[in-house]
Amino acid sequence: MNADLSEHEVAGRRAVIAGHATFATGLVSAVEQISGMGSSLVPVTSIGLAGVDIASMLEEALDTLDTSVIFTDLPAGSCTIAARRLQRIRPELVLVTGINLATVLEYVFRSASETPLEAATAAAEKGRATLVVHGSKV
Amino acid sequence: MPIALYRIDDRLIHGQVVVGWGQPLELRFIVLVDDDVAASEWEQELYRMGVPPEMEVQFCDVESASRHLGNFVCDSRMGIVLVGDIGTMQRLVAANPTIKTVNIGGVHHAPGRVARLRYVFLTPEEEQSLRGIESNGVEVSAQDVPSARPVPLKDLLSSKLDG
């Protein structure tokens, strides 16, 4: 019997995930499947939104989740630019961009005793270290 | 080298521009024409931060873009001119008769706008401005990414996205 562990209340570190198309919902679903901690994340997409609307969505997500951490997909992306604008008025925000699944998985498991910046920095390092190329020299 | 694209995109510099167009075109510079951004060091830093190191961003208001357009066109590198709204492009085209094509890359939803494509929403005034640009002998089409089929202005203005 496969227990549906996602039904359990698992407390992971909270963050907003934002990016193009279904990047964020896809990443959150993968985190949920692997760790059961998808509910500690809120996905935001930039589809169909003007820049100011993306910023509003990010703010709403941050306040709903009561978190100060945003993960985004691309350094030049609209979500990243919107997050950087928010940082100007909310300097406590921590932004990590260029993320992968390993980044977010590391983050949700980080200790609650760490500051958001410490947890995000460790997660970024994990994400970087996870990139590996396998292949033969041809 | 001629400017590869004169683009209207309300998100200005973002993934579609830097990667979607930037990679296949091997873009090496972007001229961001926006009066507000040109007057703000912080805004310029924000947009500059997102582009890869091999890509230069120059910030101009409409007047200085017009004065330097000849230099941009003579640059041996591949570049694009980017504006954030139809009004700015209309002013740019009016001041520079050498501009012969305009790309509508993204004008998103706002009150009063009608959805023409999933990435183009227009007010009646904006549609009139686009017709005005076209009447200057400029070919206007909508195309968000290079692999998409360009939608000529005539077809754009007769299309309507439901819901």
Side-chain angles (χ1 to χ4, degrees):
Chain A
M1 184 181 89
N2 291 323
D4 185 358
L5 297 178
S6 64
E7 296 299 312
H8 290 202
E9 285 292 323
V10 182
R13 288 203 70 126
R14 297 188 297 272
V16 174
I17 313 291
H20 295 79
T22 56
F23 174 87
T25 50
L27 205 57
V28 171
S29 75
V31 169
E32 174 62 21
Q33 180 179 339
I34 291 168
S35 70
M37 293 198 190
S39 59
S40 65
L41 307 167
V42 167
V44 171
T45 178
S46 63
I47 292 179
L49 298 178
V52 291
D53 297 323
I54 298 171
S56 296
M57 295 278 287
L58 287 176
E59 251 193 315
E60 189 182 322
L62 287 164
D63 292 340
T64 298
L65 212 52
D66 189 24
T67 183
S68 59
V69 178
I70 304 175
F71 290 102
T72 63
D73 56 355
L74 274 184
S78 306
C79 290
T80 302
I81 289 176
R84 290 286 291 155
R85 283 188 199 287
L86 274 181
Q87 273 186 315
R88 202 175 187 207
I89 53 173
R90 295 173 68 156
E92 76 282 4
L93 292 184
V94 175
L95 167 66
V96 183
T97 187
I99 66 165
N100 55 25
L101 179 56
T103 308
V104 183
L105 281 170
E106 176 67 22
Y107 176 80
V108 294
F109 281 110
R110 298 302 296 186
S111 166
S113 64
E114 289 182 326
T115 66
L117 184 60
E118 287 169 343
T121 302
E125 287 308 310
K126 182 71 171 196
R128 254 191 285 269
T130 305
L131 283 170
V132 176
V133 178
H134 296 278
S136 58
K137 293 177 192 174
V138 176
Chain B
M1 184 173 288
I3 295 293
L5 202 65
Y6 291 89
R7 180 175 174 97
I8 302 167
D9 193 325
D10 59 11
R11 293 187 188 173
L12 292 174
I13 292 177
H14 65 112
Q16 269 183 1
V17 170
V18 174
V19 180
W21 287 92
Q23 280 199 254
L25 289 179
E26 294 184 83
L27 270 186
R28 288 299 173 260
F29 71 90
I30 297 171
V31 182
L32 198 163
V33 183
D34 187 278
D35 292 353
D36 292 338
V37 176
S40 168
E41 286 288 340
W42 190 84
E43 289 284 327
Q44 292 174 32
E45 185 55 33
L46 181 67
Y47 288 112
R48 205 178 270 121
M49 258 195 302
V51 301
E54 65 272 17
M55 203 180 284
E56 180 192 352
V57 185
Q58 298 205 36
F59 301 93
C60 301
D61 56 25
V62 172
E63 192 200 331
S64 69
S66 299
R67 271 188 281 116
H68 294 109
L69 193 60
N71 296 337
F72 298 140
V73 170
C74 289
D75 197 312
S76 60
R77 302 170 297 167
M78 185 68 76
I80 69 168
V81 171
L82 185 60
V83 308
D85 58 82
I86 293 165
T88 301
M89 184 61 81
Q90 192 174 26
R91 289 163 56 210
L92 196 63
V93 167
N96 300 278
T98 56
I99 298 174
K100 291 302 178 194
T101 60
V102 163
N103 159 258
I104 306 169
V107 181
H108 292 89
H109 175 266
R113 284 182 174 157
V114 171
R116 292 301 183 185
L117 296 174
R118 60 178 165 72
Y119 57 93
V120 182
F121 294 68
L122 300 169
T123 64
E125 294 75 22
E126 287 168 331
E127 292 181 2
Q128 198 51 40
S129 295
L130 289 172
R131 289 192 186 94
I133 292 172
E134 190 180 56
S135 70
N136 286 319
V138 177
E139 186 183 314
V140 181
S141 62
Q143 186 182 16
D144 54 351
V145 290
S147 58
R149 180 184 65 86
V151 180
L153 184 62
K154 176 172 66 71
D155 297 341
L156 176 69
L157 297 185
S158 61
S159 70
K160 196 169 180 184
L161 209 62
D162 292 323

